[in-house]
Amino acid sequence: MSSHDHDHQAVPSDLTLRVKALESLLTEKGLVDPAALDALIDKYQHRVGPRNGARVVARAWIDPTYKQRLLTDGTTAMAELGYGGAQGEHMVVVENTPEIHNLIVCTLCSCYPWSVLGLPPVWYKSAPYRSRAVIDPRGVLREFGLELADETEIRVWDSTAELRYLVLPERPSGSEKLDETALAALVSRDAMIGVAKVTMPSRGVGA
Amino acid sequence: MSQPDSISKTERDPVFAEPWQAQAFALAVRLSEQGYFTWKEWSAALADELKTEATLGYYEHWLAALERLVTAKGLTNEAALLERKEAWADAYRHTPHGKPVELLKEA
């Protein structure tokens, strides 16, 4: 009697039960296949991430004709490297220059260029980022440790279900001798969202 | 320490903090891929949920949006979801340790 509860399994959280209810009902109706769900989870947990976007950026840096295609039609240029929009959305690439800095956000929900960046970080989906990126982009960038000159124009791009943006960061000075792979290794997720710049690794400069 | 609306940044977020989040994510993507709703409809449903009190976590809003959209699309209904949730809770309570939890077959 006393050990009764211990002989059986703990009931999971309400959230887990709600998801199990949905999944089992929809599976029974033949609307979803659990194997397809597992494949999707594996894809976004392990295979799709910012390394894809970094490859796109590095290619654009070394190949001016690719860069031109990327800026003209991001969707097609990314497809050349095998990165397709997960939901049939259009990809728009916005280029940073010494005069213009681009920042991407989704003010209403969490639209994000999944195929080249994976799923968004928690802060990208948070209410403070979604509201403040538009109202006070300079302040937001400062919080990320990025101080821009007063004369730099900041352009904020609000993503939607149909239109996703990727920032093409400036190629850092001193990177002229690097090949495509080495360049891609410099490009961070944050630089492609626009909350960071791409920098050359410092060579043991003492702090 | 930080102001209430400061953006808390972490170096490495896990893609999904808990397994149910991954399942809820995949369900929405898969249903949309199969045409049960468009991604635009999904985004609108999610945006609607996110407009409400932002005390819930992101994926709790995601799940609420999913429940609302599948119900609105007639893929299932609230009563069935509630009943099934109870059935799962029951199954856990009645399954001995170490055995896979399965729904009891209804007579």
Side-chain angles (χ1 to χ4, degrees):
Chain A
M1 206 62 167
S2 63
S3 68
H4 179 90
D5 285 344
H6 302 278
D7 293 339
H8 296 91
Q9 310 211 4
V11 178
S13 72
D14 188 61
L15 292 161
T16 297
L17 292 173
R18 279 163 63 192
V19 174
K20 288 185 83 72
L22 260 176
E23 184 179 343
S24 59
L25 281 171
L26 297 175
T27 301
E28 277 169 20
K29 288 191 169 184
L31 304 183
V32 292
D33 167 13
L37 299 179
D38 288 345
L40 268 170
I41 293 166
D42 177 61
K43 177 177 172 186
Y44 285 102
Q45 217 157 21
H46 304 296
R47 288 185 284 128
V48 176
R51 289 305 96 211
N52 293 0
R55 236 187 106 209
V56 171
V57 168
R59 175 66 56 86
W61 282 346
I62 60 158
D63 180 347
T65 62
Y66 181 76
K67 178 177 160 182
Q68 199 49 54
R69 292 202 296 283
L70 186 65
L71 294 174
T72 310
D73 179 356
T75 311
T76 307
M78 286 182 195
E80 281 180 41
L81 298 187
Y83 308 132
Q87 290 88 34
E89 68 277 13
H90 285 288
M91 296 290 316
V92 174
V93 177
V94 287
E95 184 186 15
N96 281 354
T97 67
E99 295 80 31
I100 297 166
H101 185 89
N102 296 285
L103 180 66
I104 62 175
V105 65
C106 174
T107 56
L108 288 180
C109 49
S110 50
C111 300
Y112 189 72
W114 290 3
S115 57
V116 280
L117 292 187
L119 296 181
V122 170
W123 56 259
Y124 182 88
K125 301 179 287 191
S126 72
Y129 181 75
R130 291 191 286 117
S131 59
R132 291 184 44 217
V134 173
I135 304 165
D136 177 26
R138 216 169 274 276
V140 166
L141 293 180
R142 203 171 292 126
E143 249 176 81
F144 278 89
L146 182 57
E147 191 81 47
L148 293 178
D150 285 345
E151 53 275 21
T152 305
E153 179 192 339
I154 301 177
R155 292 186 184 166
V156 181
W157 303 87
D158 194 359
S159 315
T160 68
E162 293 145 320
L163 215 53
R164 318 281 176 99
Y165 298 93
L166 183 80
V167 174
L168 174 60
E170 284 180 88
R171 183 171 174 168
S173 58
S175 67
E176 293 74 15
K177 291 199 173 111
L178 298 182
D179 66 11
E180 191 172 339
T181 309
L183 284 171
L186 298 178
V187 183
S188 69
R189 172 195 74 195
D190 286 2
M192 294 180 280
I193 299 175
V195 295
K197 288 191 176 239
V198 177
T199 51
M200 289 289 284
S202 55
R203 297 181 203 185
V205 179
Chain B
M1 188 174 124
S2 58
Q3 53 204 61
D5 67 340
S6 73
I7 299 156
S8 72
K9 300 168 287 290
T10 42
E11 268 317 302
R12 285 200 169 276
D13 305 312
V15 177
F16 303 109
E18 293 179 45
W20 68 265
Q21 299 180 350
Q23 296 299 129
F25 164 80
L27 276 169
V29 175
R30 190 64 188 147
L31 287 169
S32 162
E33 279 178 354
Q34 293 182 290
Y36 293 109
F37 45 78
T38 66
W39 198 252
K40 195 176 176 183
E41 288 175 304
W42 167 253
S43 298
L46 180 58
D48 245 21
E49 280 296 330
L50 290 168
K51 262 192 294 199
T52 62
E53 198 54 50
T55 49
L56 298 179
Y58 174 77
Y59 276 108
E60 289 180 52
H61 288 296
W62 181 289
L63 175 57
L66 183 59
E67 288 169 334
R68 227 156 38 104
L69 196 51
V70 296
T71 309
K73 291 282 177 185
L75 304 181
T76 183
N77 60 65
E78 279 179 47
L81 283 173
L82 199 61
E83 189 186 328
R84 180 54 63 93
K85 193 183 86 168
E86 288 311 316
W88 273 114
D90 233 39
Y92 276 90
R93 284 186 209 108
H94 292 99
T95 305
H97 256 316
K99 293 271 197 290
V101 177
E102 281 167 6
L103 288 174
L104 305 170
K105 287 274 174 289
E106 283 160 45

